[in-house]
Amino acid sequence: MIKHLLLPCLFLFWFVFSLNAQVETLLKAGNEKLLSRNFDGAIQDFNKILVATPGNVDALCGRAEAKFYLTNYAEAMKDAEQAAGLDANCARAFVLMGDVLFSQKDYLKALKSYMDAAQLPNPPAQALVGKAKVMNQIGNPKESYRLLDEAIQLEPANAEYYYARGMLNNSKEKYAKALLDYDKAISLKPKFNLFRSEEHTSELQSRQYL
């Protein structure tokens, strides 16, 4: 009897182990494609994961992010909400919901989503950046500065946060500070898509704001 049960158990163990390995490989590939802005390719990888493991929260969030950047907001929100429903402590899902709502100019609901993310254990810096965007949009730049500064303290090597603060400084005519932030962003990630900040840098230098 034991011998008869051993073989199926070993097969089941091998199957689960193999499936987990495949999921991890696809998840890594999908995230790398997100970083390289190959959003359609990322969605394909995340789709494969979700066929095998429909409740995979990381894949749902990754697919939501890819769809968001493709401006497929309805589908992005659907994936993010499903991820949050499966894991109430998934801060990334709440940040993604906030990003979708912010893009649709529903600022108060976006703020709530970012606040929900920020109140979770070990909240990501993205939640602070999201709140900063909303604060600036509703006319509270001082709080926006504070939140961006806090996000940069949490992730001092994130080029996007310096770029965001540079944009805020530029909009408030703090040109010298804007240049410092743009330069810092480019120095951290030269290949990052910061052509707009390079344009701002050239413009500010030509206007002799240093």
Side-chain angles (χ1 to χ4, degrees), residues 94-95 97-115 126-145 147-148 164 168 172:
F94 289 101
V95 169
M97 286 190 284
D99 290 343
V100 171
L101 291 164
F102 184 88
S103 296
Q104 296 175 327
K105 299 183 179 181
D106 195 340
Y107 301 124
L108 292 181
K109 286 185 179 179
L111 180 60
K112 183 182 183 305
S113 291
Y114 292 134
M115 291 178 66
Q126 293 96 321
L128 298 173
V129 174
K131 288 170 64 178
K133 291 191 302 183
V134 175
M135 287 297 118
N136 185 51
Q137 194 66 42
I138 64 177
N140 191 346
K142 184 176 180 180
E143 179 64 6
S144 184
Y145 279 120
L147 290 165
L148 285 172
L168 182 58
K172 302 305 177 185

Side-chain angles (χ1 to χ4, degrees), residues 21-205:
Q22 291 177 36
V23 167
E24 288 301 317
T25 299
L26 285 168
L27 193 60
K28 181 180 179 182
N31 286 328
E32 288 175 350
K33 287 171 184 173
L34 276 179
L35 289 174
S36 64
R37 306 183 72 81
N38 179 7
F39 302 124
D40 288 320
I43 288 173
Q44 291 178 11
D45 288 335
F46 296 132
N47 282 344
K48 291 176 183 177
I49 295 172
L50 292 166
V51 168
T53 55
N56 190 298
V57 172
D58 290 329
L60 283 167
C61 285
R63 191 170 69 177
E65 185 172 343
K67 289 177 177 178
F68 169 77
Y69 283 116
L70 291 172
T71 67
N72 189 347
Y73 298 134
E75 289 297 314
M77 178 63 84
K78 182 179 178 181
D79 280 345
E81 287 178 337
Q82 185 178 350
L86 290 167
D87 183 359
N89 288 320
C90 182
R92 185 183 180 190
F94 289 101
V95 169
L96 285 165
M97 286 190 284
D99 290 343
V100 171
L101 291 164
F102 184 88
S103 296
Q104 296 175 327
K105 299 183 179 181
D106 195 340
Y107 301 124
L108 292 181
K109 286 185 179 179
L111 180 60
K112 183 182 183 305
S113 291
Y114 292 134
M115 291 178 66
D116 287 341
Q119 290 170 359
L120 293 173
N122 301 314
Q126 293 96 321
L128 298 173
V129 174
K131 288 170 64 178
K133 291 191 302 183
V134 175
M135 287 297 118
N136 185 51
Q137 194 66 42
I138 64 177
N140 191 346
K142 184 176 180 180
E143 179 64 6
S144 184
Y145 279 120
R146 187 192 70 78
L147 290 165
L148 285 172
D149 288 343
E150 189 176 343
I152 288 171
Q153 288 176 9
L154 288 174
E155 294 185 19
N158 193 308
E160 294 184 23
Y161 301 163
Y162 290 97
Y163 177 58
R165 193 172 66 180
M167 292 286 286
L168 182 58
N169 279 319
N170 187 44
S171 69
K172 302 305 177 185
E173 300 185 356
K174 297 181 179 181
Y175 301 117
K177 289 184 177 181
L179 275 173
L180 290 174
D181 281 331
Y182 292 147
D183 288 341
K184 181 65 175 180
I186 294 171
S187 71
L188 284 169
K189 200 170 185 180
K191 293 183 180 180
F192 184 68
N193 187 19
L194 284 175
F195 63 91
R196 284 180 295 176
S197 60
E198 290 174 353
E199 290 175 355
H200 283 306
T201 299
S202 299
E203 177 187 356
L204 297 178
Q205 287 175 336

